[in-house]
Amino acid sequence: MDNLSEIAQHFALAYDAETYGNGHINDTYLISGKQYILQRINTEIFKKPDEVMDNIVRITEYLRGKIAKEGGDPDRETMTVIPTVDGKSYYAAPSGSCYRVYKFISGAVSYDIAENPNQLYQAARAFGKFQRLLSDFPADGLFETIPQFHDTFKRFNDLKNSVSADVMRRADSVKKEIDFAMRFEEETKLIGSLLESGAIPMRVTHNDTKLNNVMLEEGTDRGLCVIDLDTVMPGSLLYDFGDALRTGAATAAEDEKDLDKVGFDLSLFEAFTKGFLEEMGTSITEKEIELLPFSAKIITYECGIRFLTDYLSGDTYFKTKYPEHNLDRTRTQFKLVSDIEKKMSEMTSIIGKYTK
Ligand code: ADP
Ligand code: GN1
Ligand code: MG
């Protein structure tokens, strides 16, 4: 582990740090009188930090311009990358670790689970606006920071490979979960094939729209700022819609052990749908609208099989706090998938209310 006070000096900042947030990927610290966020970028996962930071700098600068034009406050409504003393967007330490600093967005909170529908409505406005503001950003100028990130069929094959390898000898004990996962093979191909044929558009998407990746203003809950921009790259709007509902409309935490508490809440779904569609206006296509309920199901499924794959592979990807953590996460996701399946037609009716 690097000496973080020395790392902070490369950004000309004082280090008085506390670990911060509930992210599964990077190491996050609040530093310098709670004014800045210092992050160690997970370079096991993001193998090319140069490309990640290049994307983030270009996107945040673009957003700053747009937010200012719309009369917003760019310092609070998008991330601000603080450069190193020699003008770089991140610091590569001799240890091999890479660090970056963002301005801390104060007076705002990110939630792991929603407390009420208004929070979801506000989160949806923020994610929808993010997508709208980037709608004319040239998608092909962005690096693909994790190739095939939302290629659900690839994720399905990764799961099959981890079952065959069974390096932890855990496959027998999760037969029920593996059998459940195997049912969805055909559905894993749908979004990819529609993107390929041009039936749905490729856009610039966030790709990691879980609820705690948006900051809501303290007091008002106004959707303030979309954070965690590592995975912004070309993708489908369906990835962002589906992934936001996965955590946003869930009635319990992602790692809840009591599955009776885990369900998909239609009033939360409705609040998100309303906010997202209001913000997207006419730029969402008919085909995308038709697939919104499916996106919630398949992206939740995809996350479930990613957790299961990681469990079978020895928990090398997501941060875990105990040995069965990824398995508990798998089970909540699969419970949600089953619940979403039962509610698909109600979801379609709700969407109809906001697309007339
Ligand atoms: P990870 O990729 O590990 O999820 P994130 O970038 O999402 O990392 O950061 C983890 C958590 O830290 C977020 O969920 C949020 O609570 C907090 N956070 C990150 N960046 C900021 C920021 N600029 N201002 C305030 N809080 C932040
Ligand atoms: C990770 O970085 P974080 O914690 O916001 C993951 C997402 C998963 C999510 C599951 C880069 O999100 O794809 O959906 O965990 N991010 C990456 O909670 O893999
Ligand atoms: Mg995050």
Side-chain angles (χ1 to χ4, degrees):
M1 168 117 179
D2 292 305
N3 176 338
L4 293 180
S5 128
E6 208 177 284
I7 299 295
Q9 284 171 21
H10 289 273
F11 298 87
L13 292 172
Y15 177 76
D16 48 4
E18 46 186 279
T19 55
Y20 196 74
N22 290 330
H24 292 346
I25 305 295
N26 299 301
D27 295 334
T28 303
Y29 307 90
L30 181 54
I31 66 161
S32 213
K34 301 190 193 306
Q35 290 190 75
Y36 298 94
I37 286 282
L38 169 70
Q39 267 184 339
R40 190 170 78 88
I41 303 170
N42 186 329
T43 46
E44 286 295 314
I45 291 175
F46 296 102
K47 306 232 185 270
K48 297 178 181 165
D50 268 82
E51 296 188 356
V52 170
M53 292 312 294
D54 190 81
N55 278 4
I56 292 177
V57 166
R58 282 193 299 135
I59 283 160
T60 51
E61 278 174 5
Y62 190 83
L63 288 173
R64 294 189 88 75
K66 288 245 171 158
I67 290 164
K69 235 189 228 161
E70 291 193 0
D73 175 358
D75 280 343
R76 301 191 76 220
E77 294 174 29
T78 187
M79 304 283 273
T80 307
V81 176
I82 305 295
T84 64
V85 285
D86 42 14
K88 305 240 166 61
S89 59
Y90 71 98
Y91 172 66
S95 64
S97 289
C98 294
Y99 295 86
R100 66 183 165 209
V101 170
Y102 292 118
K103 203 174 267 180
F104 179 68
I105 301 174
S106 59
V109 186
S110 72
Y111 295 90
D112 291 330
I113 52 170
E115 293 170 342
N116 57 59
N118 182 49
Q119 289 180 342
L120 258 237
Y121 172 76
Q122 297 294 342
R125 291 298 300 241
F127 283 132
K129 183 173 175 187
F130 182 84
Q131 182 122 159
R132 176 172 62 74
L133 294 181
L134 290 175
S135 60
D136 50 5
F137 187 94
D140 51 9
L142 287 174
F143 292 107
E144 202 178 1
T145 54
I146 301 181
Q148 295 181 286
F149 189 62
H150 279 302
D151 180 339
T152 316
F153 183 52
K154 186 228 176 230
R155 301 292 192 179
F156 178 84
N157 285 323
D158 289 348
L159 172 63
K160 283 203 340 200
N161 292 336
S162 72
V163 173
S164 307
D166 197 16
V167 292
M168 302 298 288
R169 297 264 167 273
R170 286 173 166 174
D172 276 349
S173 65
V174 293
K175 188 167 177 320
K176 205 171 112 205
E177 286 74 15
I178 295 169
D179 289 347
F180 179 87
M182 291 304 139
R183 281 178 36 205
F184 293 83
E185 176 165 5
E186 276 319 302
E187 289 171 79
T188 65
K189 299 173 190 164
L190 184 62
I191 296 179
S193 66
L194 293 172
L195 279 172
E196 210 172 306
S197 70
I200 56 173
M202 189 68 95
R203 301 171 181 267
V204 175
T205 49
H206 182 281
N207 298 305
D208 189 3
T209 50
K210 77 175 176 188
L211 190 61
N212 69 15
N213 285 333
V214 59
M215 310 288 306
L216 306 186
E217 191 170 56
E218 238 166 340
T220 67
D221 274 346
R222 180 170 75 95
L224 194 64
C225 180
V226 171
I227 61 169
D228 202 346
L229 306 179
D230 297 326
T231 51
V232 175
M233 42 183 172
S236 165
L237 165 153
L238 298 170
Y239 302 152
D240 284 3
F241 186 85
D243 205 14
L245 270 320
R246 179 184 76 76
T247 46
T251 54
E254 193 179 65
D255 55 2
E256 174 60 55
K257 283 175 180 294
D258 180 356
L259 292 182
D260 289 340
K261 293 188 180 152
V262 180
F264 190 81
D265 183 309
L266 287 176
S267 61
L268 295 172
F269 172 79
E270 176 156 2
F272 190 91
T273 300
K274 179 173 186 288
F276 193 79
L277 291 175
E278 275 176 14
E279 201 62 55
M280 290 304 292
T282 53
S283 63
I284 185 167
T285 68
E286 284 295 318
K287 192 69 186 165
E288 287 170 323
I289 291 171
E290 182 194 319
L291 289 164
L292 292 176
F294 174 76
S295 75
K297 181 173 90 169
I298 202 69
I299 298 298
T300 304
Y301 165 84
E302 180 189 278
C303 199
I305 61 173
R306 290 176 62 198
F307 289 141
L308 184 54
T309 303
D310 201 32
Y311 180 68
L312 291 167
S313 312
D315 307 306
T316 59
Y317 187 95
F318 297 103
K319 287 186 182 178
T320 51
K321 295 197 171 120
Y322 56 92
E324 310 289 293
H325 207 162
N326 273 317
L327 180 57
D328 287 340
R329 291 169 176 155
T330 305
R331 288 179 171 150
T332 61
Q333 301 308 291
F334 287 178
K335 173 77 193 289
L336 283 169
V337 170
S338 300
D339 202 29
I340 294 171
E341 276 194 314
K342 290 186 200 130
K343 294 175 176 164
M344 294 285 275
S345 62
E346 284 166 278
M347 291 161 75
T348 301
S349 308
I350 290 168
I351 290 163
K353 285 168 55 178
Y354 301 99
T355 48
K356 290 271 147 47

